[in-house]
Amino acid sequence: MGKSILICDDAAFMRMMIKDILSKNGYTIVGEAENGAKAVEKYNETKPDLVMMDITMPEMDGIQALKKIKSTDPSANIIMCSAMGQQAMVIESIQSGAKDFIVKPFQADRVLEAVKKAVG
């Protein structure tokens, strides 16, 4: 079984796109979440090797979810996904412990490169 990954994005098509790229390359998708609160809940349930986390989501944004996950599991591997022009949020997420970030719309090779760098 490949490395386990949790995908968090409020857009179902984005989750599907990421899931498609990763599962075709040997990674196992252990869960999906449509907001930050669900992401934290699913993280605690599944303890994945990696989380792909959107920054802008309803209820709890990706940065709040990142901080919450990191507070309970400092070794968590999280890659943030953001739209262009969210530099301040990208910087905050890296300072809060994100391993990397990818910019939407993303290329499959950039997603794979970030994932490989984070969890091998």
Side-chain angles (χ1 to χ4, degrees):
M1 184 169 106
K3 299 277 186 189
S4 60
I5 299 179
L6 171 64
I7 300 171
C8 313
D9 197 304
D10 55 327
F13 78 95
M14 288 307 279
R15 293 197 308 269
M16 203 168 72
M17 214 165 87
I18 296 170
K19 189 175 174 174
D20 191 51
I21 293 167
L22 296 174
S23 50
K24 277 183 182 159
N25 286 278
Y27 295 98
T28 305
I29 309 308
V30 291
E32 292 182 34
E34 65 279 0
N35 63 50
K38 284 258 187 334
V40 173
E41 198 178 290
K42 291 247 197 254
Y43 183 87
N44 293 327
E45 279 169 26
T46 61
K47 295 283 187 244
D49 294 313
L50 178 70
V51 181
M52 301 291 289
M53 180 88 70
D54 184 26
I55 290 182
T56 313
M57 292 184 290
E59 278 184 59
M60 180 192 291
D61 71 27
I63 293 174
Q64 288 175 296
L66 163 73
K67 288 176 179 172
K68 224 175 182 113
I69 290 170
K70 283 297 223 177
S71 72
T72 58
D73 184 359
S75 66
N77 290 311
I78 302 172
I79 294 175
M80 305 304 284
C81 307
S82 82
M84 291 297 278
Q86 292 184 312
Q87 281 318 101
M89 288 175 145
V90 166
I91 291 164
E92 187 183 348
S93 61
I94 296 293
Q95 287 170 340
S96 302
K99 280 274 191 283
D100 201 350
F101 69 93
I102 49 180
V103 177
K104 296 176 182 176
F106 35 69
Q107 308 301 314
D109 55 358
R110 175 65 186 107
V111 173
L112 293 169
E113 176 195 323
V115 169
K116 280 191 186 104
K117 207 166 74 179
V119 293

